[in-house]
Amino acid sequence: MTDAVDPHRAPTALPWRGLVEGFYGTPWSGAERRAYFAFAAPLGLDRYVYAPKSDPYHRERWREPYPEAQLAELAALAADAKAVGIRFGYAISPGLSMRFADPADAAALAAKARQLFDAGIRHFCVLFDDVPPTLTDAADLARFGDDDAAVGRAHGAAASEFAGFLRTELGITEPLLVCPTDYAGIAPSPYREGLAETLPTDALLFWTGSDIVVGEVTRAAVDAAAASYRRDLVLWDNFPVNDFDRSRLFLGPLTGRAGDVVGSRLVGIAVNPMVEAAPSRFAIAACAEWAAYPARYDPDAAAARARRLVAGPAAEGLAPLLDACSSWPPSAAPDPALDALIERARRGDVAALAEVRGRMEALAATSSAGAPADLRSALLPWVRAAQAVGAAGVLACRLLANDGRSDAAATVSALRAAWTAAEAHYPNVLRSSVELLVAAALERAGAPRLPVTAPQGGRVLLLTGANPSPGDRELAEFLHADGHAVTIRSESAASDIAPDFDLVIIARAASERAALELADIAIPVIAWGHLVALRLASASEMPLALDTIELSDGDHPIAAGLAGAVRAYRGPSRLTWGVPASGGRVIASTPQDRHPVLVLYDAGMPLVDGRPAPAARLTFFLGSDGFAPWLVTDATRQIVRAAVTHLLGRAA
């Protein structure tokens, strides 16, 4: 293992090193930001960019000055950062509504900066991320054109005018840091060409890599991206951010970042942390080492040092959890080595089974005792989830090793209960891996998770993917317990459905081709996947970090007697919404944007293409995790039950 690098003496350190608080969801508190300043400064991370998407004065209401209390807190934060050697940068994000050719909006941008400057803030950024990619204002179109490069020209011009104001009126001469709308990828684009035409030549650009969230950043990608922008870059590294999946933590080191970037046009890194501030320190510490000396960076050594630095005496007790949450990128398997061991154990490898059991016992014994209070508090839900998953894994290993001993039935019962308890945790710690272990153990014991027959009730087809997700399996079990006969399929022709089923549920995991096979079937359908293809919505999205719906039609039976704001998920996740046909009955929407999430079409009602619904159709708010037991609340269970009952009643 390499020695730690002194960030203040590293000969090849990137000059711009810090953090951008740019995630969606609940922003860090003032105390969490101050804790970051104290932690980061000794590591050589001397930049901080304030850019929480949930601060309305940063984004939606950017024209408005800060109220006195919020302004005072920003001023105090900037002063506290300066006291430990960190430059506090304020990012303003006007792109949702700015009229780029309007002098009044340019003046509003300047006035906002003036207010913050008078409060003691000396560093500014302009962000155009996640805003409309086209111009619609007539004056903007007249000034910047209507071609594909127009919005880039508009953004560059606005940034240039703002930089001029900072320089001439406020005396701020450092290069302006700008986040473009086209912030990911390496190829030239009309937007980048337009931006380069009007942006100051010394401006720095935020860039996230070859994609928004990446496992690798190569020197070749840096060079190509810089050439496409014709500007120096600061890597907005979407690591270890978790706003896209709040059930997970990313506690491992930075990996996949090139060691030969010094001397390129990449001049810095801005870590985008997790919503959970204290656990983010594991990754932040490792990122600081890479930024200080990329060529000598060793992820494993950095991770070991980060664990000791962040967790102190709790590092050993937390090691099973840290190991379980160390993979990157998010699409990678959480623990490929464990998956391989489980696969060998499933095939009868006794040595592998013993090793898996050791891993499960360690996970069940996870402890945060001795950790700093803020870290212990933040990790507590994941520690409990790790303990529960580990306990179920130990029982699964016992069952796999049982070889017909007389206590197998008792172990089956205990395993079912333990896994039900493990799946009830919203935090995800090796859930997909250990589920395979549990399924193998139950299968070996001849105890399938879903009974084959149901006593009575409707006949329900659940259309999902070839490998049903935990949420889809949980939905089948839930409906089975309600007395319905549930069949899970990934392929079905319409001609095979009508005689055999009373209701079809189309989950997001189903293929679009399979969903389209059932688009015209004359029995009721509930869907939270492929709403556009099924003609139930003209557009559909799954926004991040939502957990609440607003029941606007509380008198409808599908509302299950609930009304007003109802928490649909136990933690932030994705709600599916769609733009319905004009006659669709909106039962629930998202609370803030009023996007419809529960829309009912009665049989015969026109769908978005004008054709009549062949039977009742209901769009549902579940997202990519579906009816996952760790996610859905009792309210969601009530609504699902009411929806199925209502549509089956129509079928009768």
Side-chain angles (χ1 to χ4, degrees):
M1 301 197 328
T2 60
D3 294 331
V5 173
D6 182 342
H8 303 288
R9 296 184 179 180
T12 57
L14 296 173
W16 203 110
R17 292 171 286 170
L19 177 143
V20 54
E21 189 184 329
F23 51 77
Y24 290 86
T26 304
W28 284 1
S29 67
E32 288 171 330
R33 292 171 184 137
R34 290 176 173 89
Y36 165 76
F37 300 154
F39 177 76
L43 301 178
L45 299 175
D46 61 358
R47 300 271 188 168
Y48 166 84
V49 175
Y50 176 91
K53 297 290 194 294
S54 297
D55 178 350
Y57 298 98
H58 152 77
R59 192 168 172 86
E60 285 85 0
R61 298 164 63 181
W62 65 270
R63 294 180 181 85
E64 301 176 33
Y66 272 95
E68 184 176 339
Q70 287 96 316
L71 183 65
E73 172 61 9
L74 286 173
L77 282 170
D80 291 341
K82 183 178 180 181
V84 296
I86 290 180
R87 285 170 276 190
F88 182 99
Y90 179 87
I92 188 166
S93 184
L96 288 175
S97 61
M98 187 174 188
R99 299 178 296 272
F100 300 98
D102 187 346
D105 270 4
L109 196 62
K112 189 65 164 281
R114 169 71 74 177
Q115 184 199 30
L116 293 161
F117 181 85
D118 290 344
I121 293 173
R122 296 294 182 266
H123 308 280
F124 292 90
C125 312
V126 178
L127 309 185
F128 295 109
D129 57 321
D130 303 341
V131 300
T134 57
L135 299 176
T136 57
D137 181 75
D140 287 345
L141 291 166
R143 178 175 173 184
F144 299 108
D146 59 1
D147 62 324
D148 291 340
V151 70
R153 293 189 199 100
H155 291 173
S160 183
E161 185 171 354
F162 184 60
F165 166 79
L166 295 177
R167 182 176 59 254
T168 60
E169 299 297 322
L170 303 183
I172 297 174
T173 59
E174 67 179 4
L176 182 65
L177 182 56
V178 178
C179 184
T181 300
D182 184 5
Y183 54 75
I186 62 174
S189 68
Y191 174 91
R192 295 183 186 189
E193 287 299 314
L195 184 72
E197 289 178 24
T198 55
L199 192 69
T201 56
D202 68 343
L204 304 179
L205 288 180
F206 271 136
W207 170 69
T208 63
S210 57
D211 207 338
I212 299 172
V213 179
V214 296
E216 184 179 42
V217 176
T218 65
R219 173 63 185 265
V222 168
D223 292 343
S228 72
Y229 291 114
R230 289 180 266 163
R231 299 295 188 279
D232 287 344
L233 306 177
V234 172
L235 179 65
W236 176 311
D237 207 325
N238 279 319
F239 168 81
V241 67
N242 67 339
D243 58 3
F244 52 85
D245 186 351
R246 291 292 311 286
S247 70
R248 297 182 68 185
L249 294 180
F250 300 101
L251 305 176
L254 183 70
T255 59
R257 302 304 183 254
D260 58 349
V261 294
V262 173
S264 72
R265 298 199 72 172
L266 183 71
V267 300
I269 179 174
V271 178
N272 191 16
M274 294 185 287
V275 179
E276 292 76 18
S280 296
R281 294 175 199 151
F282 292 105
I284 290 169
C287 290
E289 289 202 20
W290 177 79
Y293 208 153
R296 284 181 51 188
Y297 177 67
D298 180 335
D300 291 337
R305 284 188 286 269
R307 290 184 181 193
R308 293 192 298 269
L309 177 65
V310 176
E316 183 175 353
L318 283 171
L321 174 63
L322 299 176
D323 291 342
C325 299
S326 284
S327 70
W328 189 263
S331 58
D335 193 330
L338 177 62
D339 291 346
L341 284 171
I342 290 173
E343 181 58 29
R344 287 167 51 196
R346 291 172 65 190
R347 295 178 181 178
D349 187 322
V350 175
L353 180 59
E355 195 168 345
V356 171
R357 181 163 181 167
R359 289 285 308 272
M360 295 298 100
E361 289 172 344
L363 198 63
T366 300
S367 171
S368 61
D374 59 347
L375 180 65
R376 190 169 62 252
S377 175
L379 288 181
L380 181 59
W382 280 267
V383 168
R384 288 175 173 168
Q387 293 167 343
V389 168
V394 170
L395 287 170
C397 290
R398 278 182 53 193
L399 195 58
L400 282 170
N402 192 288
D403 295 328
R405 290 199 300 270
S406 60
D407 67 343
T411 306
V412 165
S413 178
L415 176 56
R416 285 186 185 276
W419 188 243
T420 296
E423 282 197 311
H425 288 267
Y426 174 69
N428 182 356
V429 181
L430 295 180
R431 187 182 292 130
S432 59
S433 298
V434 179
E435 183 183 35
L436 294 175
L437 181 68
V438 170
L442 291 174
E443 182 180 358
R444 182 83 59 86
R449 293 193 62 194
L450 180 65
V452 176
T453 60
Q456 60 184 3
R459 300 167 302 168
V460 180
L461 171 67
L462 175 58
L463 189 69
T464 180
N467 295 308
S469 69
D472 293 342
R473 285 191 290 270
E474 178 72 13
L475 177 62
E477 293 183 12
F478 175 79
L479 295 177
H480 186 279
D482 271 2
H484 304 294
V486 183
T487 301
I488 302 176
R489 292 184 187 173
S490 60
E491 302 287 341
S492 282
S495 60
D496 298 333
I497 301 301
D500 299 326
F501 296 99
D502 305 311
L503 173 68
V504 172
I505 299 176
I506 300 177
R508 181 165 293 276
S511 71
E512 185 168 302
R513 181 183 59 79
L516 285 172
E517 284 283 330
L518 307 182
D520 296 313
I521 194 165
I523 61 175
V525 171
I526 299 174
W528 56 87
H530 312 293
L531 301 188
V532 174
L534 292 168
R535 311 194 307 276
L536 306 181
S538 56
S540 178
E541 291 186 15
M542 270 197 316
L544 294 170
L546 297 176
D547 58 14
T548 302
I549 62 173
E550 182 79 25
L551 286 160
S552 51
D553 192 352
D555 292 333
H556 196 279
I558 290 176
L562 303 170
V566 171
R567 192 168 185 188
Y569 295 150
R570 295 172 59 201
S573 189
R574 300 168 184 261
L575 288 171
T576 296
W577 63 263
V579 179
S582 58
R585 182 166 183 172
V586 178
I587 299 170
S589 306
T590 57
Q592 292 186 337
D593 299 325
R594 314 302 298 174
H595 294 309
V597 296
L598 273 176
V599 180
L600 177 66
Y601 299 92
D602 289 326
M605 181 177 293
L607 302 179
V608 294
D609 65 346
R611 285 186 284 174
R617 297 290 190 263
L618 178 70
T619 71
F620 212 87
F621 57 78
L622 293 178
S624 52
D625 283 328
F627 198 72
W630 57 84
L631 184 63
V632 296
T633 62
D634 286 342
T636 293
R637 293 185 179 93
Q638 292 176 45
I639 295 170
V640 167
R641 179 177 287 123
V644 169
T645 299
H646 184 72
L647 267 66
L648 284 173
R650 287 177 175 275

